[in-house]
Amino acid sequence: MAARACSLWANSGGTKRPGSVTPADPDLGRSGTQGIIGRCVCWPWVPDRAPRVRDDGVFESMCGIIGILGNQAAAPRLVEALKRLEYRGYDSAGIATLEQGGVIGRRRAAGKIRNLEAELAAHPLAGASGIGHTRWATHGAPTMGNAHPHATARVAIVHNGIIENFRPLREELQRAGHKFDSETDSEVIAHLISAGLDQGLPPEQAAAGAVARLEGAFAIACLFAGAEDTLIGARKGSPLVVGVGDGEMYLGSDAIAVSPFTLKVIYLEEGDMAVLSRARVKIVDAKGARTERPVHVFSGGVAAVEKGNHRHFMQKEIYEQPETTGRTIGRYVDAFKEQVELPDLDGVDLNADSAILIGCGTAHYAGRVAEYWFEQIAGIPTETDIASEFRYRQPAFGKKSFAAFVSQSGETADTLAALRYCKQQGLKTLAIVNVQESTIWREADARMPTLAGPEIGVASTKAFTAQLSALAALAVGVARARGRLSSQEEARLAHALMEAPRLIAEALHAEAAIEPIAQELSHARDVLFLGRGIHYPVALEGALKLKEISYIHAEAYAAGELKHGPLALVDKDMPVIAIAPNDALLEKLKSNLQEVRARGGELYVFADADSHLQPGDGIHVIRMTEHAGHLSPILHTVPLQLLAYHVALAKGTDVDKPRNLAKSVTVE
């Protein structure tokens, strides 16, 4: 850094916050059903094979919950609902009902829901009240013993989330004489509630007392022995809805779960507990006060229900990113072996001489980020190209190359045409797509799903970070295939990937600081984005998001190129947004930012907490979390999404359906 003073930054120094991945703890167990990444609460507890994981349980997967207080046989209806929740996972499934005399009956099966159906065919369950669960696991072999529901003689529960303090709770309950049948953290919920019931508390008080002691994120449904007209649900950090029927009530992870039975849905809010009978819904908020929540009517189609309490799909999808990146990373990272695993890639030789990454728009920018990873981690010569231009330049290929095609929809016409061109030239092709069974997925030689789930907003958010997550894993896999990694280095990279969902969740906390800045930027006609190195493509993506949904002209440049032309545009009316991670190029970036301030440009800097960049006159600093190393582009993408979103809100544009654009471009 040049020896000159500026209020933009303070002297370097300070201590980097240590990473949260800790050595294996003998009390943290290996999942016989899933690993750490992308897990739901079905996280077993086997002391002899312990993974490394933070205690905050950020790596939460989607599991599916259904509860029914009905007037007809519950078991087939529970299974029907679970099938609608299969997108949330089907590594194991189970149901519990109140049979004759109010006795809890339970059936569970490892594997897909059809295995549960077979179990029920052989051993039916009676009763009109029940709960069900389908689970998404990412590592290990799912077992029936760890499948939900979990039960005692007095209560059965299903749960999505992670109980952070399950170990001390479990030990306390064991000392009190409780016997555990599974290795999951979820089972403590059933025993906590049972302990309250044993003390003479009614179901509502017993459930409330148990929930008050839980730390972590969860959605819970509870069924009580002898209480045939009671179903209780609670949520904290995981979604849960109430379905209001005609003389029936339902609980579900989302409206899709209950939609076969009712079109009336109540979205529970954070901290709510719902006490259901067939005649009424009682909701108690996080402060313990009775409250009312509005009833929404499902008008048909997934898009009508999946927004939930969010104002826009884009907002919802931004906030889903800790989950969607965790799920994608969980597909490719084995937390127990401490390595990346890339299934279904037999059609592509990763020990190649070179690689080509092809996509359009946001997917292209994902490829441009990955180009750095491929070259820096894997040491493989890599080029990126825009799908719409690729085949027209008649590219020359190496003798031993592969081409990867990045697409959310798997139907993008230009990307599909580029894939077909490569196949005609004899190249092996890899599809990195979000929609399985799409055309690109089917025609490629090998495939990597990104597991972002349905993305409704036209401006891609969670699909982009899922693409980056998959590409980061692929870079590690290519490095290993090329003999570029030691086991220790691969373990380090695997841990970094596992930390990404937590860091994304922390990055979302920047929203409060972004909102007032967005109000200022909403009045701009032009905005300049700057980044260096691997963050230059992030700047490109940030500019694209702003253009897409706010209709403000925005351009992105590599910051070192300022003096080669763009600096002529900088004045007090040209806001400049800079991405400032604490990496090897930070000092050079600071010099570039000085050039902006010297010309009166207004700076908005997204800086890591340890970058020592300070606000001042004309300098606005939005604090990020600690530097995330080579995965920093994933983290810095999130606040730029929020910025574009809030600028669009301020301008009153159609956030989810911006003019002239479509989600899937199926024409050239």
Side-chain angles (χ1 to χ4, degrees):
M1 171 182 164
R4 52 188 172 188
C6 180
S7 62
L8 182 62
W9 54 86
N11 293 330
S12 298
T15 304
K16 182 180 184 297
R17 181 174 179 258
S20 304
V21 176
T22 59
D25 184 330
D27 290 329
L28 294 179
R30 169 172 177 155
S31 169
T33 53
Q34 53 193 40
I36 305 307
I37 301 292
R39 67 187 181 186
C40 77
V41 67
C42 336
W43 177 52
W45 191 62
V46 182
D48 61 335
R49 300 179 70 182
R52 300 182 180 184
V53 63
R54 290 182 78 245
D55 283 341
D56 69 0
V58 168
F59 308 126
E60 179 189 349
S61 177
M62 296 197 314
C63 298
I65 288 174
I66 182 65
I68 296 177
L69 282 180
N71 297 310
Q72 54 184 289
R77 306 174 81 193
L78 291 167
V79 171
E80 179 185 0
L82 290 179
K83 288 180 177 179
R84 297 179 70 88
L85 291 168
E86 280 189 304
Y87 75 96
R88 289 177 168 264
Y90 40 77
D91 295 300
S92 65
I95 67 170
T97 66
L98 293 184
E99 298 193 280
Q100 187 175 3
V103 176
I104 295 171
R106 189 169 50 144
R107 301 288 185 267
R108 299 174 295 167
K112 296 184 178 181
I113 293 173
R114 63 174 176 261
N115 296 342
L116 175 62
E117 289 183 288
E119 175 67 16
L120 286 165
H123 304 96
L125 281 178
S129 304
I131 55 176
H133 186 271
T134 182
R135 177 178 173 215
W136 179 287
T138 57
H139 299 285
T143 65
M144 184 184 73
N146 291 324
H148 293 219
H150 294 291
T152 68
R154 305 197 66 172
V155 65
I157 67 97
V158 291
H159 169 220
N160 179 21
I162 294 178
I163 306 304
E164 299 172 19
N165 62 332
F166 82 97
R167 284 175 288 165
L169 291 174
R170 180 172 176 138
E171 292 166 0
E172 173 191 321
L173 290 160
Q174 287 175 322
R175 288 193 297 269
H178 289 256
K179 305 295 183 183
F180 285 74
D181 297 321
S182 78
E183 298 160 341
T184 70
D185 53 351
S186 305
E187 194 179 357
V188 300
I189 304 169
H191 286 275
L192 277 176
I193 295 173
S194 282
L197 295 171
D198 291 342
Q199 296 170 10
L201 297 177
E204 181 178 345
Q205 294 182 25
V211 167
R213 298 195 63 190
L214 301 178
E215 298 175 7
F218 50 80
I220 303 167
C222 311
L223 187 71
F224 297 84
E228 297 185 0
D229 196 32
T230 300
L231 183 65
I232 294 178
R235 63 152 295 181
K236 177 185 175 184
S238 291
L240 194 66
V241 305
V242 175
V244 181
D246 184 11
E248 298 187 330
M249 293 290 178
Y250 314 90
L251 285 171
S253 296
D254 55 34
I256 293 177
V258 302
S259 61
F261 318 123
T262 182
L263 302 179
K264 298 178 181 179
V265 178
I266 298 170
Y267 294 96
L268 297 181
E269 297 187 8
E270 187 73 1
D272 282 354
M273 185 174 80
V275 183
L276 309 184
S277 69
R278 289 174 175 81
R280 66 175 189 139
V281 179
K282 176 184 176 182
I283 299 175
V284 179
D285 66 18
K287 297 179 180 180
R290 182 79 177 267
T291 189
E292 300 290 332
R293 303 295 184 206
V295 178
H296 300 265
V297 178
F298 172 33
S299 60
V302 173
V305 300
E306 285 294 278
K307 190 167 32 181
N309 289 323
H310 294 278
R311 186 172 177 181
H312 298 95
F313 284 110
M314 184 179 181
Q315 181 190 41
K316 171 181 175 288
E317 288 156 6
I318 289 171
Y319 273 87
E320 286 178 337
Q321 289 175 114
E323 178 181 326
T324 54
T325 55
R327 189 162 66 241
T328 300
I329 291 165
R331 175 68 177 258
Y332 303 117
V333 175
D334 189 318
F336 307 110
K337 295 180 181 178
E338 300 182 336
Q339 66 183 30
V340 167
E341 293 187 346
L342 301 177
D344 306 323
L345 297 189
D346 292 343
V348 172
D349 183 5
L350 298 184
N351 186 21
D353 296 330
S354 62
I356 307 167
L357 304 175
I358 301 168
C360 293
T362 289
H364 170 62
Y365 296 147
R368 294 188 66 166
V369 172
E371 182 179 5
Y372 287 83
W373 291 333
F374 277 42
E375 295 191 337
Q376 294 174 359
I377 297 173
I380 183 172
T382 305
E383 66 175 276
T384 57
D385 213 331
I386 302 168
S388 59
E389 295 291 324
F390 175 72
R391 67 193 187 280
Y392 298 114
R393 65 179 178 88
Q394 299 179 345
F397 305 122
K399 293 181 179 180
K400 191 180 177 184
S401 301
F402 73 87
F405 300 85
V406 187
S407 173
Q408 190 284 132
S409 68
E411 302 292 347
T412 307
D414 289 313
T415 307
L416 178 59
L419 182 147
R420 289 169 174 168
Y421 177 86
C422 287
K423 289 181 72 72
Q424 290 170 1
Q425 304 303 312
L427 255 67
K428 293 297 185 181
T429 56
L430 169 62
I432 302 173
V433 301
N434 192 42
V435 181
Q436 299 182 35
E437 303 304 323
S438 59
T439 306
I440 292 173
W441 174 278
R442 295 194 307 270
E443 294 195 13
D445 297 306
R447 309 146 193 90
M448 290 181 67
T450 51
L451 305 179
E455 188 178 64
I456 307 302
V458 168
S460 183
T461 53
K462 65 177 182 175
F464 178 66
T465 51
Q467 288 163 354
L468 291 179
S469 301
L471 286 162
L474 179 60
V476 176
V478 173
R480 184 175 64 218
R482 290 170 56 83
R484 295 270 301 190
L485 288 182
S486 67
S487 58
Q488 293 80 7
E489 181 65 9
E490 182 171 0
R492 184 187 69 80
L493 294 170
H495 289 316
L497 279 164
M498 287 187 281
E499 283 283 278
R502 172 184 68 84
L503 295 174
I504 291 172
E506 293 182 5
L508 290 167
H509 295 161
E511 185 170 22
I514 289 169
E515 289 188 54
I517 291 172
Q519 289 290 331
E520 297 175 16
L521 291 175
S522 68
H523 302 294
R525 290 186 58 187
D526 308 278
V527 179
L528 184 65
F529 285 73
L530 299 178
R532 295 208 66 146
I534 197 171
H535 293 87
Y536 170 43
V538 176
L540 289 166
E541 171 64 10
L544 176 62
K545 286 291 155 290
L546 190 67
K547 284 185 279 194
E548 284 181 309
I549 62 172
S550 75
Y551 316 144
I552 293 174
H553 173 246
E555 297 294 338
Y557 283 87
E561 291 295 295
L562 267 177
K563 54 183 137 331
H564 298 288
L567 201 57
L569 298 173
V570 174
D571 60 20
K572 63 181 179 60
D573 297 319
M574 170 69 86
V576 178
I577 297 169
I579 303 155
N582 187 23
D583 61 11
L585 293 173
L586 178 61
E587 298 304 317
K588 293 185 180 297
L589 177 68
K590 289 176 178 179
S591 296
N592 302 140
L593 301 187
Q594 285 275 41
E595 295 168 348
V596 172
R597 283 300 302 139
R599 284 130 180 112
E602 196 84 2
L603 276 170
Y604 301 85
V605 186
F606 291 85
D608 292 346
D610 47 4
S611 300
H612 309 288
L613 293 157
Q614 299 298 325
D617 183 30
I619 304 164
H620 312 268
V621 178
I622 301 92
R623 298 291 181 194
M624 300 285 293
T625 184
E626 76 265 24
H627 183 49
H630 74 287
L631 296 180
S632 176
I634 300 178
L635 274 297
H636 277 272
T637 293
V638 173
L640 298 182
Q641 295 171 345
L642 288 168
L643 179 67
Y645 174 73
H646 283 286
V647 171
L649 285 186
K651 288 180 66 68
T653 63
D654 191 337
V655 172
D656 288 330
K657 299 177 181 178
R659 68 190 185 197
N660 305 332
L661 301 178
K663 188 64 182 173
S664 178
V665 182
T666 57
V667 295
E668 295 185 39

